[in-house]
Amino acid sequence: KAKYWVTCVNIERSLHYKKRKCRYLNTWHGTAFKHIGNDAGVRKDFDFSSVDYFCYASEYEKKIYMNAFRTREDAMIPTGLPRNDELYHVTPNEIGSLKDKLGLPRDKKIILYAPTWRESTDNGKTCAIKPPINTKKWETELKDNYITLFRMHAYTNQLLGLEFNDTIRDYSAYPNVNDLFKVADILISDYSASMSDYAILERPVLCFTYDYEQYRDERGLYLDFDKDMPSGILRTEDDVLKYIKNMDYEKECEKTRIMIKEKLIHLGGHATEMCLVKLFEK
């Protein structure tokens, strides 16, 4: 009976009862680096043709969504993602307040490790992640200058093999990932859309892709990470730690800026307002 629907996920395949007068907005939830929708796996039944408005943040995204979800071109709206608006308007005072709220020191750099979710290997009983990380080594190598926050994907319901300490802390249960983006000086991820969200802040993005060839061949990727991502491919924790300790921070920030302008071409900052105007226009 609702006149307006708003979603950010792929529920369209089961919604075949949308009435003609209903206006339907899909804000989606992040830039696709790994294959999605009809591009991924054996399912080819993703059909978003009933969506009236579908947000996108770049021409790169637009082409993927139209192919992977069968969205109509006249439904695509160049707004950016509403969930990311606040990342365009961060202030130093806000960052300081958030660090205090999160119990983080102001005299150390903050690293956020936010990997993507992993498909189940036991017929859907669990979705676990076991990154090849020795937390004792990270503590030894980074404790003088860094604090690392670990944030696993909300759909990954088991975390294996990590022992947290004062240098590596688990913030997986913290509800607002944007707060973690704001306080982080460096993002470590793998194939997650969090990389494009975080790139809005124009800070270093490191790709810790320890299973790159396997993931690329089994899941599929839209980019050549070795060529397209700012850090290339970092395969081991030793590679990651060395990269962090030897990076030219400003140069890494510039690499992220180039990724935004030349690859992802981000639109955003006022997406919420633009979406509401479009949704309720007469």
Side-chain angles (χ1 to χ4, degrees), residues 183-207:
V183 301
D185 298 284
I186 299 168
L187 175 70
I188 301 172
S189 190
D190 44 16
Y191 317 102
S192 171
S194 65
M195 294 187 292
S196 61
D197 302 331
Y198 183 77
I200 294 167
L201 299 167
E202 299 186 0
R203 300 172 191 166
V205 176
L206 310 187
C207 291

Side-chain angles (χ1 to χ4, degrees), residues 21-203:
K21 292 184 179 180
C22 173
R23 291 188 179 181
Y24 185 7
L25 166 69
N26 191 311
T27 64
W28 202 233
H29 58 270
T31 301
F33 294 109
K34 55 183 178 286
H35 283 180
I36 59 174
N38 296 317
D39 294 337
V42 297
R43 295 194 57 168
K44 304 296 179 186
D45 62 343
F46 289 86
D47 184 357
F48 288 25
S49 59
S50 65
V51 175
D52 296 294
Y53 309 110
F54 194 99
C55 297
Y56 69 93
S58 69
E59 289 300 313
Y60 163 81
E61 290 185 350
K62 180 181 177 182
K63 293 176 183 177
I64 291 173
Y65 298 146
M66 290 182 63
N67 182 66
F69 295 142
R70 297 178 189 148
T71 55
R72 305 188 326 275
E73 184 162 15
D74 64 343
M76 304 300 293
I77 53 176
T79 60
L81 305 185
R83 60 177 282 165
N84 288 339
D85 277 350
E86 61 183 294
L87 297 177
Y88 287 88
H89 308 288
V90 183
T91 66
N93 287 339
E94 182 183 7
I95 293 171
S97 296
L98 280 172
K99 284 186 174 181
D100 293 342
K101 175 184 175 182
L102 294 166
L104 301 173
R106 296 197 182 198
D107 61 344
K108 291 187 178 183
K109 287 189 177 296
I110 306 300
I111 300 168
L112 175 63
Y113 180 35
T116 194
W117 79 290
R118 303 293 173 133
E119 283 83 350
S120 175
T121 57
D122 55 6
N123 297 317
K125 293 179 181 178
T126 61
C127 289
I129 184 170
K130 187 179 182 180
I133 287 177
N134 181 333
T135 53
K136 295 295 184 183
K137 179 183 288 190
W138 285 54
E139 182 176 34
T140 300
E141 297 282 342
L142 300 177
K143 64 182 179 182
D144 292 337
N145 300 305
Y146 297 96
I147 298 291
T148 300
L149 314 182
F150 188 90
R151 177 58 147 73
M152 68 179 185
H153 192 283
Y155 292 165
T156 303
N157 52 31
Q158 282 196 8
L159 175 61
L160 307 173
L162 294 187
E163 295 180 6
F164 295 100
N165 50 50
D166 193 51
T167 300
I168 298 187
R169 308 179 185 182
D170 186 10
Y171 278 74
S172 297
Y174 186 78
N176 188 353
V177 70
N178 279 354
D179 286 354
L180 304 182
F181 289 151
K182 292 174 186 177
V183 301
D185 298 284
I186 299 168
L187 175 70
I188 301 172
S189 190
D190 44 16
Y191 317 102
S192 171
S194 65
M195 294 187 292
S196 61
D197 302 331
Y198 183 77
I200 294 167
L201 299 167
E202 299 186 0
R203 300 172 191 166

